[in-house]
Amino acid sequence: MLLTTLSTNQLPFFLSRRYGYSSKSMALAEKTQQRIPQAMSGGSSSNKNNNVGFISSWRRMVGAWATSNSTNSTDTSNEGGPSDGTQLLKKGIAEFYDESSGIWEDIWGDHMHHGFYDDSSPVSLSDHRLAQIRMIDEALSFASVPSEEEDPSKSKTPKRIVDVGCGIGGSSRYLTRKYGAECRGITLSPVQAERANAIALSQGLSDQVSFLVADALAQPFPDEQFDLVWSMESGEHMPDKQKFVNELVRVAAPGGTIIIVTWCHRDLKDDEESLQSWEKELLDKICKDYFLPSWCSAADYVKLLQSLPVEDIKTADWTRYVAPFWPAVLRSALTWKGLTSLLRSGMKTIKGALAMPLMIEGYKKGVIKFAIIACQKPK
């Protein structure tokens, strides 16, 4: 049941009894509740103004609870220098996904990434999950990785796959089934790796797919191992994009395909040296909540790849195809199940909830882009 269906008194009563909200937080909860339908409707200038108010109220409501129930959390500041800062960032990423992956799986399933939507198609909760599968298939098609129908003999389909930033293994298991391939997945989160292996075992796939805790910037694999190097929404977490793409290229076998699907900031114009100050401020807020380093553009990725031994580099802006995703995630958080799960979780998950409206704002204002970059390693 969405919070929009509750009476004004039900949400504050529930939260105060269950989680010890203050009267001030309750007032913010009521205000946020009233703004939910306005924020979700979009379109008119008045609704855009309401969106701004909703974003503020949502962050203040959840933030008020977080402040009143705070415990020590990982500080990802860089006070100890670049090396210390990178280690703190990795620790924050691991803890964030340790805390939040179970909630995500419970509500959204085992694919922890955007969905791919037709511009005109209506969406429902079940469609969102199908859209996540479609994202995988569209990425493969974009990179010219053949399907079984296109290659019945499987002579050109990938036999060995690495999933860099595997989450709980949704993409890995799907690709394993699709191609009959062997797949290795890596993640910084021990909770994710354990859960991914457990699901693989329960689905009879443990002989083909396995998961381990490892750093994408120093992958524990020999050179030229994988026919398909897959990175679905992990690049945004990488503090050193050069090392990231270097490793993707290193582990790719000759003739192998590399696919990067990632959040980026918009490409800079010819007369720009950097983003505008307000754009940087918005992205900085998201970075703090999602444990992200500095953002880059799709053009930056292309430049990095052009310096490496790869060919057929191509990229596309898929922002319009993912537009329904973050509003849908936010709606799922505003159900009884979503909200109570969120408030039982750790501080890092709550911080992630604060960033959801900011992601929507970033997409709507054109600051955030959803990009795919693909290339091949020469044979």
Side-chain angles (χ1 to χ4, degrees):
M1 180 171 59
L2 284 175
L3 295 182
T4 51
T5 66
L6 302 178
S7 70
T8 304
N9 292 329
Q10 282 178 305
L11 175 62
F13 175 78
F14 171 79
L15 294 176
S16 62
R17 289 294 299 273
R18 196 70 177 270
Y19 300 105
Y21 260 68
S22 67
S23 58
K24 182 178 180 180
S25 298
M26 292 300 95
L28 289 172
E30 292 177 7
K31 183 183 293 185
T32 300
Q33 187 179 3
Q34 294 163 4
R35 290 183 184 272
I36 291 167
Q38 299 169 343
M40 292 303 164
S41 58
S44 69
S45 59
S46 61
N47 278 327
K48 289 179 181 178
N49 291 332
N50 286 330
N51 286 349
V52 174
F54 169 74
I55 289 168
S56 175
S57 294
W58 166 253
R59 288 177 62 84
R60 288 167 63 201
M61 182 185 75
V62 180
W65 182 88
T67 300
S68 62
N69 293 272
S70 62
T71 58
N72 292 332
S73 59
T74 300
D75 177 9
T76 58
S77 64
N78 196 18
E79 294 179 359
S83 178
D84 290 346
T86 298
Q87 292 305 313
L88 284 171
L89 177 65
K90 291 177 183 178
K91 185 174 185 291
I93 293 168
E95 292 175 350
F96 173 73
Y97 286 110
D98 282 349
E99 286 183 4
S100 63
S101 294
I103 297 173
W104 182 273
E105 181 186 2
D106 192 32
I107 297 174
W108 274 75
D110 60 350
H111 292 281
M112 302 182 69
H113 57 79
H114 284 69
F116 188 101
Y117 305 86
D118 286 332
D119 292 343
S120 59
S121 66
V123 292
S124 67
L125 183 58
S126 60
D127 290 331
H128 291 307
R129 296 190 181 189
L130 291 175
Q132 290 174 306
I133 298 296
R134 186 175 178 189
M135 174 62 73
I136 299 174
D137 288 333
E138 291 289 340
L140 294 168
S141 176
F142 178 84
S144 301
V145 180
S147 63
E148 280 190 356
E149 293 77 13
E150 296 166 331
D151 182 23
S153 66
K154 296 187 177 182
S155 61
K156 298 180 180 180
T157 57
K159 308 295 189 301
R160 295 163 299 170
I161 301 170
V162 61
D163 186 352
V164 181
C166 61
I168 58 172
S171 292
S172 300
R173 290 185 295 274
Y174 180 79
L175 293 169
T176 295
R177 290 193 186 94
K178 184 178 182 72
Y179 295 116
E182 294 183 359
C183 185
R184 303 294 300 277
I186 60 173
T187 172
L188 289 174
S189 165
V191 171
Q192 285 188 335
E194 181 179 1
R195 179 58 182 154
N197 280 315
I199 297 173
L201 180 63
S202 70
Q203 295 179 355
L205 295 173
S206 58
D207 290 339
Q208 292 174 273
V209 59
S210 61
F211 305 90
L212 68 155
V213 176
D215 185 354
L217 303 185
Q219 296 184 37
F221 308 118
D223 297 352
E224 301 185 346
Q225 288 295 298
F226 301 103
D227 307 313
L228 176 59
V229 178
W230 177 267
S231 171
M232 176 62 71
E233 299 186 41
S234 62
E236 50 268 24
H237 282 300
M238 304 300 165
D240 189 328
K241 300 298 192 289
Q242 182 71 69
K243 281 186 178 180
F244 173 53
V245 296
N246 285 353
E247 280 294 274
L248 298 183
V249 174
R250 180 184 68 79
V251 300
T257 300
I258 299 167
I259 301 176
I260 304 168
V261 183
T262 188
W263 316 348
C264 293
H265 67 61
R266 64 172 178 82
D267 288 342
L268 298 179
K269 299 175 183 177
D270 292 339
D271 60 348
E272 288 182 314
E273 295 184 359
S274 65
L275 295 174
Q276 298 180 41
S277 59
W278 70 266
E279 293 174 313
K280 293 179 182 178
E281 290 174 3
L282 175 61
L283 296 182
D284 284 346
K285 291 178 183 177
I286 295 172
C287 286
K288 291 176 182 177
D289 290 343
Y290 277 142
F291 299 94
L292 305 178
S294 297
W295 294 56
C296 71
S297 67
D300 293 328
Y301 271 110
V302 171
K303 289 178 183 177
L304 291 174
L305 288 167
Q306 286 173 338
S307 68
L308 298 171
V310 296
E311 59 188 11
D312 299 330
I313 302 170
K314 56 183 178 178
T315 185
D317 179 0
W318 280 4
T319 305
R320 69 184 184 276
Y321 296 121
V322 301
F325 180 76
W326 282 99
V329 174
L330 186 50
R331 287 190 189 97
S332 69
L334 294 173
T335 62
W336 278 114
K337 183 177 183 179
L339 186 60
T340 55
S341 296
L342 172 65
L343 297 180
R344 291 191 191 103
S345 68
M347 289 296 301
K348 292 177 176 61
T349 307
I350 294 170
K351 287 178 66 179
L354 300 179
M356 289 191 289
L358 295 178
M359 289 294 297
I360 296 171
E361 182 182 358
Y363 275 125
K364 286 185 175 181
K365 291 182 176 180
V367 184
I368 299 175
K369 297 295 182 179
F370 190 87
I372 180 169
I373 306 101
C375 61
Q376 286 192 317
K377 195 167 184 178
K379 293 182 179 179

